[in-house]
Amino acid sequence: MSTDTTTPAPTPAPASGRPARTGGLAGRIDWGKWFTRAVLLWLFAPVAAMVAFSFNDISGRQNVSWQGFTFKWYGQAFAYEDLNHALFNTVAIGLLTMLIAGGIGSLLGLALGRYRFHGQGTTNLVMFAAISAPEVVMGASLLSLFLTMSISTGFVTILIAHVMFTISFVAITVRARVMTLDPKLEEAARDLGAGVWTTFRLVTLPMLLPAIMAGALLALALSVDDFIITTFVSGETSTFPLWIWGSTRAGIPPQVNVMGTLTFSVGVLLAIGNIVLARRRR
Amino acid sequence: MRTRRAPYFLVLPAWIWLAIFFVVPICGMLSVSTMSGNVIDGFRNTLAVGNYAEAVATYWPQLLRSLFYGFCATALCIAVGYPVAYWVSFNGGAHKSTYLLLLLLPFFVPQVLRTINWKFTLADDGVLFGTVKDLGMLPEGFHVLSTALAVICGLAYNFLPFMVLPIYAVLERVDHRVVEAAYDLYATRVQAFVRVVLPISLPGVFAGVLMVFVPTSADYVSASVLGGTHTTMIGNIIRTQYLVNNSYPLAAAITFVLMAILLIGIFSYARALGTEQVMEVQAK
């Protein structure tokens, strides 16, 4: 950080990365810190509302005002049959997307990072377009395709769409990792008599695995969250976001907030696990 | 020969998938957009260019509004996201990754659900304004929901991480010694920022702009949930024409106009900056 410079500032601020230039103003307010905290508060406000209203003791479906604390919605989390179906679809499509897009995207990322081939520029261009194309355009054009081909929309078409829009994200994540790999390691494996496949399985794949996992998880997250593209290609099939959307007019039942809170808790647990792991490594 | 063919085996599945379900549909939409007819009698391709004229003539206010909202939301994201990315990257210290995780944590809740709860927070009698109103600090008839402000804030809210992360990724790679060198040469804080840090971070801002402007200007969730009749965006129109009115040719024409505007924008933007650079930052 600031060890090898001859900064006139007396002492480098601990862990700040920048020398403390204003030694006499130790008590000054750190505006950046408070600004960042305010932004985080903004981001968490709706989530806090969601968690609070999952404990709201209401009668009927209008969950808009606070009427007392209860755990009962957690006991009745699966009371809506169609919500359970929607949730199941979301999880199933998410996991299948993770597998298919993870596989196809990783191969693409590997090829893009490792080889030079005909059509590479076009591939990059298409991926770039697939990432930056608006969701409404992708959804609408897919619906046009399914309509012209007389393919009925449902579970399979949602899956097709989700794999389509997540492939590029996986490929980019894997490509970034491939480009940082040292080709000498693979050469060494080959010098030691490993074949192409063995080299890949024992040397390349283990090194790529974190990126493949990251890409696949990204695909899962994007799939579970997607609403716009799914609306267009879902037909009669519902997913968790679609169900929430459909229930807004009638009033969102507390079960939705319960499930939202549960998925959020999964995120919190993952985050805590990550922090603990990082601490331990240090 | 083996290695020369290897990349093609690797890319083939992705090529097929993206060709059939991304490239072909978008080209196909071009043909749908020039059809005429209705959903009962069927559609025939009559090369009806009139759909485009109708699309632009009828929906130019929504188109312009979408681009304007997208622009405002992007500007808001830069204004809010840059300081956050800057502070976390330079002053986050040991808590850097914790801050990034906190930033991403709300996104474990589906976007639709978050936007709906954001609406409850903003509602006139909601937690935020209801309380302030009870204290008599707001004028009668004050409301935020159903205004452009609510929609723009909703858009910025939903896409903020897409701005913070690319900027953070670039700022993380800034060699702090370069900044210190600027101080050594008697640069003030502002000078060091404007002449050293800002230029280095611009690719991140550009990537962020792309990641935020395109989805926000085509979004319709925020406009539907937080907006009113005067804040309809082009995404709402496309959705209604496709899924409610079943007037596919007109809907395809509107979609194509939107995409043409955005793609021309994106590609001239990417060309000016170099596609690789923009995509590389996205990957981080």
Side-chain angles (χ1 to χ4, degrees):
Chain A
M1 283 202 171
S2 54
T3 44
D4 50 348
T5 48
T6 48
T7 326
T11 44
S16 81
R18 197 200 300 140
R21 303 184 67 251
T22 45
L25 294 168
R28 215 169 65 162
I29 301 166
D30 186 349
W31 289 108
K33 185 192 223 165
W34 289 106
F35 185 78
T36 304
R37 289 185 174 173
V39 170
L40 285 174
L41 202 66
W42 178 39
L43 288 179
F44 275 97
V47 179
M50 176 193 76
V51 175
F53 279 99
S54 74
F55 292 108
N56 192 8
D57 190 7
I58 57 157
S59 48
R61 272 183 81 164
Q62 288 302 329
N63 195 3
V64 283
S65 59
W66 184 252
Q67 290 165 33
F69 185 89
T70 179
F71 272 117
K72 77 173 168 205
W73 306 120
Y74 283 81
Q76 300 169 22
F78 297 101
Y80 288 88
E81 197 62 32
D82 46 346
L83 175 58
N84 300 344
H85 274 294
L87 207 62
F88 172 80
N89 285 336
T90 290
V91 173
I93 291 169
L95 291 178
L96 286 170
T97 302
M98 185 172 132
L99 286 176
I100 302 172
I104 296 178
S106 299
L107 296 180
L108 180 62
L110 180 62
L112 286 170
R114 172 64 43 88
Y115 302 98
R116 308 223 141 265
F117 53 91
H118 291 290
Q120 198 158 10
T122 318
T123 312
N124 276 324
L125 200 70
V126 170
M127 276 168 52
F128 181 61
I131 286 178
S132 45
E135 288 190 79
V136 81
V137 169
M138 290 197 267
S141 63
L142 267 174
L143 179 61
S144 296
L145 175 83
F146 295 140
L147 284 168
T148 10
M149 307 297 270
S150 308
I151 298 168
S152 59
T153 47
F155 189 92
V156 177
T157 50
I158 300 177
L159 181 61
I160 285 173
H162 283 198
V163 171
M164 182 274 285
F165 84 85
T166 49
I167 285 179
S168 310
F169 286 96
V170 180
I172 285 185
T173 316
V174 173
R175 185 186 66 173
R177 175 84 181 134
V178 172
M179 299 219 282
T180 62
L181 290 186
D182 190 352
K184 286 196 197 101
L185 291 167
E186 291 186 330
E187 280 164 30
R190 244 169 258 145
D191 286 351
L192 295 168
V196 177
W197 177 238
T198 316
T199 309
F200 178 78
R201 194 167 53 87
L202 294 177
V203 179
T204 318
L205 188 61
M207 289 194 292
L208 288 184
L209 219 49
I212 293 174
M213 281 305 294
L217 283 175
L218 186 63
L220 174 71
L222 290 169
S223 162
V224 168
D225 192 44
D226 184 75
F227 171 71
I228 296 183
I229 297 179
T230 315
T231 320
F232 281 92
V233 297
S234 61
E236 300 292 307
T237 311
S238 188
T239 64
F240 186 41
L242 292 192
W243 199 90
I244 299 169
W245 181 266
S247 69
T248 45
R249 291 236 169 81
I252 301 172
Q255 275 82 354
V256 166
N257 286 330
V258 170
M259 306 231 174
T261 306
L262 292 178
T263 60
F264 178 68
S265 313
V266 172
V268 173
L269 287 177
L270 285 175
I272 292 174
N274 199 311
I275 292 169
V276 169
L277 276 180
R279 285 264 158 80
R280 197 162 287 175
R281 235 176 271 142
R282 202 173 291 137
Chain B
M1 218 42 224
R2 241 192 118 98
T3 43
R4 208 170 285 176
R5 255 187 283 159
Y8 297 101
F9 286 120
L10 294 176
V11 295
L12 204 60
W15 273 359
I16 293 173
W17 207 290
L18 286 175
I20 299 181
F21 300 117
F22 180 68
V23 181
V24 168
I26 286 182
C27 298
M29 202 163 61
L30 200 59
S31 102
V32 174
S33 70
T34 57
M35 286 182 181
S36 49
N38 58 55
V39 76
I40 299 152
D41 303 328
F43 297 100
R44 235 168 296 104
N45 203 337
T46 51
L47 291 178
V49 195
N51 290 332
Y52 283 93
E54 196 189 335
V56 175
T58 318
Y59 297 112
W60 65 267
Q62 284 87 348
L63 258 172
L64 285 184
R65 188 183 295 142
S66 301
L67 296 175
F68 176 68
Y69 285 4
F71 175 81
C72 292
T74 310
L76 190 59
C77 279
I78 296 178
V80 173
Y82 197 103
V84 171
Y86 183 91
W87 186 82
V88 173
S89 149
F90 280 73
N91 301 53
H95 299 295
K96 271 182 194 178
S97 55
T98 312
Y99 275 109
L100 287 184
L101 276 173
L102 283 176
L103 210 60
L104 287 173
L105 217 44
F107 294 81
F108 275 89
V109 179
Q111 189 199 344
V112 179
L113 189 52
R114 263 183 300 125
T115 313
I116 289 169
N117 277 298
W118 178 227
K119 176 186 173 173
F120 291 151
T121 318
L122 281 185
D124 297 343
D125 51 355
V127 187
L128 195 61
F129 295 122
T131 319
V132 184
K133 225 174 210 173
D134 289 343
L135 295 170
M137 284 163 70
L138 283 174
E140 223 24 62
F142 170 90
H143 62 103
V144 173
L145 281 184
S146 310
T147 63
L149 182 69
V151 178
I152 292 167
C153 285
L155 290 170
Y157 172 77
N158 277 317
F159 293 92
L160 184 66
F162 295 101
M163 183 63 78
V164 176
L165 291 179
I167 298 177
Y168 174 82
V170 177
L171 286 178
E172 253 320 88
R173 281 183 282 174
V174 172
D175 188 340
H176 291 268
R177 281 172 297 185
V178 180
V179 187
E180 279 159 29
Y183 289 138
D184 285 352
L185 296 168
Y186 299 105
T188 62
R189 282 172 85 101
V190 175
Q191 281 173 324
F193 174 74
V194 173
R195 310 222 359 216
V196 179
V197 180
L198 189 63
I200 304 178
S201 68
L202 278 182
V205 179
F206 290 139
V209 166
L210 198 64
M211 298 288 279
V212 173
F213 179 71
V214 174
T216 50
S217 54
D219 184 74
Y220 63 78
V221 176
S222 293
S224 302
V225 176
L226 304 166
T229 44
H230 299 291
T231 57
T232 319
M233 292 174 73
I234 199 67
N236 302 75
I237 303 288
I238 294 173
R239 177 194 154 90
T240 312
Q241 293 294 348
Y242 256 105
L243 300 174
V244 182
N245 299 353
N246 293 332
S247 53
Y248 304 118
L250 181 63
I254 307 169
T255 315
F256 229 82
V257 171
L258 171 70
M259 195 179 62
I261 295 174
L262 291 177
L263 279 189
I264 291 169
I266 294 166
F267 279 110
S268 38
Y269 182 83
R271 172 128 306 177
L273 302 161
T275 329
E276 284 302 315
Q277 200 184 21
V278 175
M279 280 191 63
E280 193 202 333
V281 177
Q282 281 181 347
K284 292 288 145 53

